[in-house]
Amino acid sequence: MALMTGDQYVESMRKMNLQIYMFGEKIENPVDNPILRPSLNSVKMTYDLAQMPEYQGLMTTTSHITGETINRFTHIHQSTEDLKNKVKMQRLCGQKTAACFQRCVGMDSFNAVYSTTYECDQKHGTSYHKNFLKYLEYCQKNDLTVDGAMTDPKGDRGLAPHAQADPDLYLRVVERRSDGIIVRGAKAHQTGIVNSHEVLVMPTVSMREADQDYAVAFAVPSDAKGIYMIVGRQSCDTRKLEGSSLDVGNPDFGGMEALIVFDDVFVPNERIFMDGEYDFSGMLVERFAGYHRQSYGGCKVGVGDVLIGASAVAAEFNGAAKASHIKDKLIEMIHLNETLYCCGIACSSEGTETASGNYLINLLLANVCKQNITRFPYEIARLAEDIAGGIMVTAPSEKDLRDPKIGPVLEKYFKGVADVPTIERMKILRLIENLTLGSAAVGYRTESMHGAGSPQAQRIMIARQGNLEEKKALAKAIAHIEV
Ligand code: SF4
Ligand code: FE
C-alpha cells in the first residue's frame, strides 16, 4: 500500500495510542475531538488530493528507492523540477485548506536527514544513511505522516545546550545501551504532531564537543512509550465547541501545534541517524531550515490566495468591488503574494545536487523567501482587514442571525448588496477573521513570522550566504579602486 486514501489515513490515526493533553485533560479520542479534528482534516487533504486524477501529477511521484508511486510528501527530491513541484503542491494544499496542512515538516526533514547522514557517514564511517534509507522506505510504503521535530525549548538563549541550568531543555541522550539509546527532553511548537504517525527528531542548533549528547537524530512512532503531548491554544479555539460553522470561519480545516515530551524514550539502533556527531548538527539544522523556508513560498501563498479571494468576495458583497482603491488593494495583495511564490520557485530552480544525490534548494534564496514571508502576509492581512471593514470583528453570532426574533433585524441592518443574504456576507467576513485573527492566524500570520525560524535566523543565513566580499570587489573594479 504505497498510497493511503484520506479515510484510511483517518482510520490509521484512530488506531494510534497517542498521549495528548488539552485543557488539563487527557484526550481519549483525538480523531473526533472538535478542537483537533479540523487539523486532522488538513492532513487528510494531502491524502485526498493524491487520489484525484487532476492533482496526481503534483501530489504523487515515483520513489527513487522502490520505483513505486508514492505521495510527494514522502519523496526525496531528485531534481530542481521536483523542488518546484514541491512548492506547487504546497500552494495547492494551502488553497484547499486555508490552513497549515502540517505534513511538510516530515518531507523537509526526510530530505535534510537524507543528505546529512550520507555526508556524516563519509566522514565518520558511521552507517546512519543506511538506517535512514530503510526508515524512509517504510514511510514511503506506508504513506506515513511524519512530524519533523527540531525546535527544543532552549531555556536560557545565551547558553549552549550542555550549559543550561536544567540539562533537559535541549533533547539529549541520557543512556547508551547495546540495542539503542534512551532520550529525554522535549520539542516545542510541533506542527502536526497530534496528527502524525511518526516523529523524526533532529538537533536544533550547531553544536560543539561539549554538546555531544545533544547531537542526536532519530525516529520513533509518535505513540512510543514515554512520549506525550500538550496541545497549544489557538485564538478562538473554543468556538469550535459551539457547533456553529459560521462563527468558526473555516469550519473544516485548521492547523495544530503541541509540545511533545520525551520522557526517557527508547530508540533502537536502526532508528538512530546521528548520535554524537556534533560537527554535523549545524548542517542538518541549516538544510532542514532551508527546505522549510522554501516550503513557506508554497503553503503561505496558497492560503494567501484564499485570503485575497475572500477579500474580493467581501468587497462584492459590500457593493464596493468597483471602487478604484479596492481594486488597487487587491492588486497589491496579489503582487505581494506572487512575489512570495517567485521566491519559492526561484530557490527551487537554483537548487543543486548534494553528495547523496538529492537536491537542495539555494539556501540564500530560501532564506530571502522566508524573510519576505515574515513581512508580506502581515501586509496582505492588513489590506484584507481594510477591505473587510470593522464588521469583521463586530458581527453578532450565528445564533443571533438564526434567532426568530433578532435574526430578521440583523438580516435587515447588516445587509450589503440586496441580492446577497446577510448570512452569506457573514460567512466570508468570518473566514477573513479566521485567517487574520482566529485560529488559522497561527498558521498564516504568526507562523509566517516564527515558523521555520524567526526573522533573525534568516538574517544570519543571509549574512553568511550573501557574499558581501564579492560585491565589494565588484564596486572596486567599477570605480578603479586599487586598495
Ligand atoms: Fe507545511 Fe506551511 Fe504548515 Fe510548514 S507551515 S507544515 S510548510 S503548511
Ligand atoms: Fe510551519
Side-chain angles (χ1 to χ4, degrees):
M1 180 189 55
L3 284 180
M4 268 202 274
T5 65
D7 290 335
Q8 285 169 336
Y9 159 70
V10 173
E11 289 321 302
S12 69
M13 287 312 298
R14 209 182 280 289
K15 286 190 198 123
M16 297 205 63
N17 184 26
L18 297 179
Q19 307 297 307
I20 302 175
Y21 293 85
M22 187 168 63
F23 295 116
E25 281 172 19
K26 180 152 180 297
I27 306 298
E28 295 305 337
N29 176 8
V31 166
D32 297 312
N33 183 282
I35 289 188
L36 300 178
R37 183 56 190 243
S39 71
L40 184 87
N41 289 344
S42 298
V43 182
K44 179 175 178 283
M45 184 58 85
T46 69
Y47 292 89
D48 285 335
L49 289 170
Q51 299 286 327
M52 298 180 194
E54 64 270 42
Y55 300 125
Q56 267 166 7
L58 267 191
M59 299 298 303
T60 67
T61 185
T62 305
S63 165
H64 78 293
I65 311 173
T66 62
E68 277 183 48
T69 300
I70 51 165
N71 192 298
R72 190 178 293 282
F73 278 98
T74 65
H75 187 47
I76 295 297
H77 315 302
Q78 300 297 305
S79 61
T80 53
E81 203 55 33
D82 270 353
L83 289 171
K84 282 188 281 183
N85 281 336
K86 171 199 160 183
V87 171
K88 291 178 188 179
M89 169 181 77
Q90 289 167 312
R91 185 171 188 170
L92 172 72
C93 294
Q95 290 171 340
K96 297 293 185 188
T97 58
C100 166
F101 37 90
Q102 306 145 61
R103 208 175 166 188
C104 327
V105 280
M107 168 177 51
D108 291 340
S109 55
F110 287 156
N111 277 277
V113 173
Y114 186 87
S115 61
T116 306
T117 50
Y118 185 89
E119 288 174 47
C120 179
D121 286 358
Q122 281 193 326
K123 181 172 174 196
H124 291 292
T126 43
S127 53
Y128 297 131
H129 191 67
K130 197 175 87 219
N131 285 355
F132 183 67
L133 268 181
K134 212 172 139 217
Y135 175 67
L136 179 70
E137 189 177 335
Y138 166 74
C139 294
Q140 290 186 340
K141 275 211 152 111
N142 294 287
D143 202 4
L144 300 181
T145 290
V146 176
D147 170 54
M150 181 162 277
T151 310
D152 290 85
K154 295 198 201 91
D156 183 337
R157 271 62 173 170
L159 296 174
H162 72 276
Q164 297 286 330
D166 180 342
D168 298 339
L169 288 171
Y170 285 77
L171 190 142
R172 68 193 170 119
V173 180
V174 289
E175 192 188 330
R176 289 187 174 84
R177 298 175 6 186
S178 60
D179 53 347
I181 53 174
I182 308 284
V183 295
R184 185 186 305 159
K187 293 285 180 180
H189 328 299
Q190 286 310 299
T191 293
I193 183 63
V194 298
N195 301 315
S196 297
H197 303 101
E198 290 270 329
V199 54
L200 171 49
V201 169
M202 299 161 283
T204 200
V205 286
S206 337
M207 291 176 187
R208 301 223 172 115
E209 198 173 348
D211 294 321
Q212 217 161 18
D213 290 341
Y214 295 85
V216 61
F218 61 87
V220 284
S222 36
D223 60 357
K225 190 166 172 281
I227 287 184
Y228 55 96
M229 305 157 195
I230 303 137
V231 170
R233 286 213 71 165
Q234 296 180 338
S235 175
C236 309
D237 47 9
T238 47
R239 280 198 199 178
K240 292 173 189 153
L241 301 175
E242 295 167 7
S244 162
S245 64
L246 190 155
D247 289 353
V248 168
N250 182 351
D252 297 327
F253 303 104
M256 188 51 66
E257 269 77 25
L259 176 78
I260 172 171
V261 180
F262 294 78
D263 192 5
D264 289 1
V265 174
F266 173 68
V267 184
N269 283 330
E270 64 274 16
R271 287 289 196 97
I272 300 173
F273 314 129
M274 176 186 288
D275 178 14
E277 294 76 13
Y278 58 89
D279 48 337
F280 280 88
S281 62
M283 178 187 286
L284 188 48
V285 172
E286 195 173 282
R287 291 186 179 177
F288 172 75
Y291 281 123
H292 209 51
R293 289 169 192 171
Q294 167 209 26
S295 286
Y296 278 40
C299 78
K300 299 291 176 264
V301 179
V303 180
D305 286 327
V306 178
L307 184 54
I308 295 167
S311 307
V313 172
E316 272 172 30
F317 288 1
N318 280 348
K322 291 205 175 79
S324 63
H325 75 97
I326 297 287
K327 284 189 200 158
D328 194 54
K329 281 165 188 159
L330 290 168
I331 291 166
E332 178 66 9
M333 292 164 89
I334 294 169
H335 162 71
L336 291 168
N337 205 42
E338 297 301 332
T339 303
L340 299 176
Y341 186 57
C342 292
C343 294
I345 293 294
C347 68
S348 306
S349 302
E350 294 286 298
T352 48
E353 194 176 355
T354 67
S356 67
N358 77 341
Y359 272 69
L360 182 66
I361 58 291
N362 176 302
L363 285 172
L364 174 61
L365 297 186
N367 279 278
V368 168
C369 177
K370 175 68 214 317
Q371 182 79 180
N372 283 332
I373 300 269
T374 65
R375 300 170 182 176
F376 296 179
Y378 283 80
E379 180 63 7
I380 293 170
R382 187 185 75 78
L383 291 165
E385 289 183 34
D386 180 348
I387 294 171
I391 189 171
M392 175 190 126
V393 289
T394 62
S397 70
E398 180 174 2
K399 262 192 186 155
D400 292 315
L401 285 156
R402 298 203 187 275
D403 183 80
K405 193 171 155 211
I406 307 282
V409 178
L410 297 176
E411 175 65 33
K412 175 181 163 77
Y413 286 112
F414 282 132
K415 191 96 181 171
V417 292
D419 58 347
V420 175
T422 297
I423 208 150
E424 301 302 312
R425 183 172 175 233
M426 292 304 151
K427 283 184 192 167
I428 207 72
L429 294 168
R430 287 287 181 217
L431 174 58
I432 298 174
E433 182 197 30
N434 173 272
L435 285 165
T436 55
L437 304 169
S439 57
V442 181
Y444 186 64
R445 260 187 37 164
T446 314
E447 194 174 49
S448 289
M449 181 67 80
H450 293 293
S454 306
Q456 194 56 27
Q458 290 112 55
R459 298 184 83 79
I460 291 166
M461 282 300 291
I462 291 169
R464 235 187 260 161
Q465 305 266 334
N467 210 345
L468 200 54
E469 289 309 313
E470 187 190 285
K471 293 180 192 351
K472 280 156 68 178
L474 291 172
K476 284 183 179 175
I478 295 283
H480 295 200
I481 291 171
E482 277 161 22
V483 289

